[in-house]
Amino acid sequence: MDDAKDFVSTCPVPLSDYNRILLAHGGGGTLMHRLLAQVFYPAFANAILDQQGDGAILSLGGSRLAFTTDSYVVSPLFFPGGDIGTLAVNGTVNDLAMCGARPLYLSAGFIIEEGLPVETLCRVVESMRLSAGAAHVQFVTGDTKVVEKGKGDGLFINTAGIGAIEHDLPIQPRNVKLGDVILLNGDIGRHGLAIMATREGLAFDSDIKSDCAPLADLVLALLDAGIEIHCLRDLTRGGLASGIVEIAATAGVHIHLEERAIPVRDDVRGACEILGFDPLYVANEGRFVVFLPEQDASRALDILRTQVDTEGAACIGSVTDGCPGMVTMTTAIGSRRIVDMLSGEQLPRIC
Amino acid sequence: MDDAKDFVSTCPVPLSDYNRILLAHGGGGTLMHRLLAQVFYPAFANAILDQQGDGAILSLGGSRLAFTTDSYVVSPLFFPGGDIGTLAVNGTVNDLAMCGARPLYLSAGFIIEEGLPVETLCRVVESMRLSAGAAHVQFVTGDTKVVEKGKGDGLFINTAGIGAIEHDLPIQPRNVKLGDVILLNGDIGRHGLAIMATREGLAFDSDIKSDCAPLADLVLALLDAGIEIHCLRDLTRGGLASGIVEIAATAGVHIHLEERAIPVRDDVRGACEILGFDPLYVANEGRFVVFLPEQDASRALDILRTQVDTEGAACIGSVTDGCPGMVTMTTAIGSRRIVDMLSGEQLPRIC
């Protein structure tokens, strides 16, 4: 449920000002955090939920487990670089990885709209099979529901996942420390643009594909190398900016970013300029940040750069003295600005 | 994913005869089992999925866990005796209980249609809070998505659950044995009729409320008493008949039922007659069957009758010599008939 609780004080509009749910309540930004903080957290409050990681860390029979869930409502179902099936596997696998866990088991809950071609379902299931194999996880339980035509939108998928935590590090936002550096595993903004281009029938000159990928192997490689990871966060809805603001708020630290250090492909930057998007807020499905002590940064970067598509991994900022909960950035032209969480809804239903 | 694989040989129509998903593919009957057997099982095949219980049994770090998921798409959201929130807790808690597990942790995935009144969401969340408390489980992780108006139907909820298995019994369909008796924890048919009455604006003379209830306390009480449980199954979509046929097919045994022994309230029976339903196929949300050796039956019945609303618990049949995979029943008028799985869709979206 992300980092809602500590963020609520900075939300400008109380939930009660809206009496109906808006698209932005699912957008990963300010309104979603307010919904979590005002409706879900108070009802379900407990010490585990209060960890506010990408998943829950559970102690069970002497073992530590990670447990997480996501529903996938992406539109359209198929897009360059993936489909709802690859998202449904990698999204949940990555949330487990962000807990520092080895992903093991997934559940699958299908909500199908009456009239969906069986062939479409089969294509998605085949993607899920391949993605699960690549991420070394098994589907072990599931559920299928069908709703009347006009009461759904083709196919929604929920996956929940269980992973094993095989180390003793307390990887979570509150473990972020003054002086930590922030590493990012590659260029940002491709997933959101790939969805947008498909949805709107835009043809970019270049070939922008989703970055959707499983991240557990990278995280486990960092852990195996003895890197002292303090916090991990994948950069999905709300993009890099929202993820960093969440962590600054939960950890109560000031985070400073260097815009020049954040890799953005030229074609992505160009498309963002045309569409009026800021790449900092565009969703990714294969990008994450690592908070760790500076002395481990160089070794960690070498490891982060070993995967296909992660050669652009870079150090993009650090945790500094300043205003707790604030994120600032030195821009490409050398000025300094405050980075806020995504406000409103930039691109609905990108995952 | 229920007992699809062994059932496929008895399905009359191959999936390929339909090129689009029908409502009945989510109905818990023949078509749903064919979808599972032809699409999901082949793609996701593994030894754990092959257990075909109400959830998966996992070994992790020396402990045995149960893991299960269900999506809830009930329409309307509120009905006599419960709402989508009570279902979303009890349905998943009960699937864990049917694995013989102690339910511990739940995830919650909300798919909200734009425009849903926030007050409606708050009412459902409050139901979830109360139901989780009653079932002794905690919500520890979650997700919220919003889809555009017209692309959903108010609110869909997925819950996944983790439970601890604290005994060594192999509770599963394949553990059913010749001579086992079958106990049922009370009268059947109320949940489906409560939904139907609300949806269609029917006013029955009497007050038929859903039987929605958590079942883990009863199952744990049976286990604590040393009852040798062979198999458990809750009787949701497809009703008592479909649950029993699934088990007969998976276990490869002949099951015989006594219709006179199956408790059905007079008002439920009357409403079923008016509406043309057979109570055997109407969904329940607080009813389950236990397969166990005859010598444990009397003690088990005493335990089953201890909960509010379960005083009607009864022995309704047994596992006999005969035709493997077949279910027969001595009817109320003394004749003998074959009991099939629900064919087609009786009441869509009852859970």
Side-chain angles (χ1 to χ4, degrees):
Chain A
M1 289 199 179
D2 304 314
D3 299 56
K5 211 162 141 189
D6 299 300
F7 187 72
V8 66
S9 60
T10 67
C11 290
V13 186
L15 186 69
S16 53
D17 285 8
Y18 305 99
N19 54 19
R20 293 190 178 268
I21 294 292
L22 309 177
L23 277 177
H25 281 117
T30 308
L31 277 186
M32 191 179 86
H33 284 80
R34 184 161 283 280
L35 183 67
L36 298 182
Q38 296 195 344
V39 177
F40 295 122
Y41 273 99
F44 301 144
N46 60 67
I48 299 168
L49 194 61
D50 196 46
Q51 296 162 349
Q52 302 188 44
D54 280 310
I57 311 293
L58 311 174
S59 291
L60 240 157
S63 308
R64 284 211 306 160
L65 303 180
F67 179 37
T68 189
T69 192
D70 263 327
S71 297
Y72 299 88
V73 299
V74 66
S75 173
L77 296 176
F78 302 90
F79 50 83
D83 59 43
I84 191 173
T86 51
L87 280 184
V89 172
N90 289 331
T92 295
V93 160
N94 291 350
D95 280 345
L96 293 173
M98 295 304 110
C99 300
R102 180 184 302 279
L104 293 174
Y105 302 113
L106 297 186
S107 65
F110 296 87
I111 299 177
I112 310 175
E113 184 188 10
E114 182 187 19
L116 182 78
V118 171
E119 191 221 337
T120 303
L121 180 64
C122 290
R123 278 177 66 195
V124 170
V125 167
E126 176 63 7
S127 283
M128 293 171 77
R129 184 183 74 79
L130 293 172
S131 300
H136 322 298
V137 293
Q138 292 183 312
F139 280 100
V140 293
T141 190
D143 176 57
T144 306
K145 294 291 192 304
V146 180
V147 297
E148 302 91 333
K149 193 155 181 61
K151 301 294 187 184
D153 193 18
L155 180 61
F156 302 143
I157 301 175
N158 175 284
T159 52
I162 293 179
I165 299 178
E166 298 161 345
H167 56 81
D168 298 322
L169 299 176
I171 297 174
Q172 54 177 311
R174 293 204 181 84
N175 195 34
V176 165
K177 292 181 171 57
L178 187 66
D180 276 359
V181 296
I182 304 165
L183 309 185
L184 168 65
N185 71 322
D187 66 291
I188 60 170
R190 275 190 279 144
H191 177 71
L193 282 188
I195 299 285
M196 182 69 183
T198 314
R199 196 183 294 167
E200 305 299 336
L202 303 177
F204 298 127
D205 270 352
S206 67
D207 181 32
I208 299 177
K209 286 185 179 160
S210 170
D211 61 326
C212 186
L215 299 172
D217 284 351
L218 278 184
V219 171
L220 294 173
L222 293 173
L223 290 167
D224 284 348
I227 305 288
E228 186 189 326
I229 299 172
H230 289 165
C231 182
L232 299 161
R233 177 61 47 106
D234 60 343
L235 308 172
T236 56
R237 282 182 288 178
L240 172 66
S242 299
I244 295 286
V245 172
E246 281 172 9
I247 290 173
T250 307
V253 297
H254 184 138
I255 293 175
H256 187 74
L257 302 176
E258 295 291 335
E259 189 169 21
R260 281 176 185 276
I262 299 169
V264 182
R265 275 181 16 179
D266 286 345
D267 52 2
V268 169
R269 192 182 302 282
C272 279
E273 278 173 12
I274 291 166
L275 295 166
F277 292 155
D278 182 339
L280 285 186
Y281 294 90
V282 177
N284 314 275
E285 287 292 337
R287 295 298 177 230
F288 71 112
V289 287
V290 192
F291 288 70
L292 76 180
E294 190 169 11
Q295 66 265 26
D296 283 352
S298 167
R299 278 198 309 139
L301 267 181
D302 288 344
I303 293 168
L304 285 180
R305 288 173 178 150
T306 56
Q307 229 178 35
V308 178
D309 213 28
T310 62
E311 59 284 343
C315 178
I316 63 163
S318 60
V319 179
T320 68
D321 270 337
C323 179
M326 179 173 281
V327 179
T328 51
M329 182 166 75
T330 303
T331 67
I333 57 168
S335 63
R336 189 180 163 98
R337 75 167 173 100
I338 290 175
V339 176
D340 278 331
M341 184 165 280
L342 176 65
S343 173
E345 174 59 285
Q346 189 188 53
L347 279 172
R349 296 181 60 187
I350 48 80
C351 63
Chain B
M1 288 197 180
D2 303 315
D3 300 56
K5 210 161 142 191
D6 299 300
F7 187 73
V8 67
S9 60
T10 66
C11 290
V13 186
L15 185 67
S16 55
D17 285 7
Y18 305 98
N19 53 19
R20 291 189 178 270
I21 294 291
L22 309 177
L23 276 177
H25 282 116
T30 308
L31 278 185
M32 191 180 86
H33 284 80
R34 185 161 282 279
L35 184 68
L36 298 182
Q38 295 196 345
V39 177
F40 296 121
Y41 272 100
F44 301 143
N46 60 66
I48 299 168
L49 195 59
D50 197 45
Q51 296 162 349
Q52 301 189 43
D54 280 311
I57 311 294
L58 311 175
S59 290
L60 241 158
S63 308
R64 285 210 307 159
L65 304 181
F67 179 37
T68 190
T69 191
D70 263 328
S71 297
Y72 300 87
V73 300
V74 67
S75 172
L77 296 176
F78 301 89
F79 49 83
D83 59 43
I84 191 172
T86 51
L87 280 183
V89 172
N90 289 331
T92 295
V93 160
N94 291 349
D95 280 345
L96 294 172
M98 295 304 110
C99 300
R102 180 185 301 279
L104 293 174
Y105 301 113
L106 297 185
S107 66
F110 296 87
I111 299 177
I112 310 174
E113 184 189 13
E114 181 187 18
L116 182 79
V118 171
E119 191 221 338
T120 302
L121 180 64
C122 290
R123 278 177 66 195
V124 170
V125 167
E126 176 64 6
S127 284
M128 294 172 76
R129 185 183 74 79
L130 293 172
S131 299
H136 322 299
V137 292
Q138 291 183 313
F139 280 100
V140 293
T141 190
D143 176 57
T144 305
K145 295 289 190 307
V146 180
V147 296
E148 303 90 334
K149 192 154 182 64
K151 302 293 187 183
D153 193 19
L155 180 61
F156 302 144
I157 301 175
N158 175 284
T159 51
I162 293 178
I165 299 178
E166 298 162 346
H167 56 81
D168 298 322
L169 298 177
I171 296 174
Q172 53 177 314
R174 293 205 182 83
N175 195 35
V176 165
K177 292 181 173 56
L178 186 67
D180 276 0
V181 296
I182 305 165
L183 309 185
L184 167 65
N185 72 321
D187 66 292
I188 60 170
R190 275 191 279 144
H191 177 71
L193 282 188
I195 298 285
M196 182 69 183
T198 314
R199 196 182 292 166
E200 305 299 335
L202 302 178
F204 298 126
D205 269 353
S206 67
D207 181 31
I208 299 177
K209 286 185 179 159
S210 170
D211 61 325
C212 186
L215 299 172
D217 284 351
L218 278 184
V219 171
L220 294 172
L222 292 173
L223 289 167
D224 284 348
I227 304 287
E228 187 189 327
I229 298 173
H230 289 165
C231 182
L232 298 161
R233 177 61 47 106
D234 59 344
L235 307 172
T236 55
R237 283 184 287 178
L240 172 66
S242 299
I244 295 287
V245 173
E246 281 172 9
I247 289 173
T250 306
V253 298
H254 184 137
I255 293 174
H256 187 75
L257 303 176
E258 295 291 335
E259 190 169 20
R260 281 177 184 277
I262 299 170
V264 182
R265 274 182 16 180
D266 287 343
D267 52 1
V268 169
R269 193 182 302 281
C272 278
E273 278 172 14
I274 292 167
L275 296 165
F277 292 155
D278 182 340
L280 285 186
Y281 294 91
V282 177
N284 314 277
E285 288 291 337
R287 294 298 176 231
F288 71 114
V289 287
V290 192
F291 288 70
L292 76 178
E294 190 171 8
Q295 67 265 23
D296 283 352
S298 168
R299 278 199 307 140
L301 268 181
D302 287 344
I303 293 168
L304 285 180
R305 287 172 178 150
T306 54
Q307 229 177 36
V308 178
D309 213 25
T310 62
E311 59 284 344
C315 179
I316 62 162
S318 60
V319 179
T320 68
D321 270 335
C323 179
M326 180 174 280
V327 179
T328 52
M329 182 167 75
T330 303
T331 66
I333 57 167
S335 63
R336 189 179 164 98
R337 74 166 174 101
I338 290 175
V339 176
D340 279 332
M341 184 166 279
L342 176 65
S343 172
E345 175 58 286
Q346 190 189 53
L347 279 172
R349 298 181 59 188
I350 49 80
C351 63

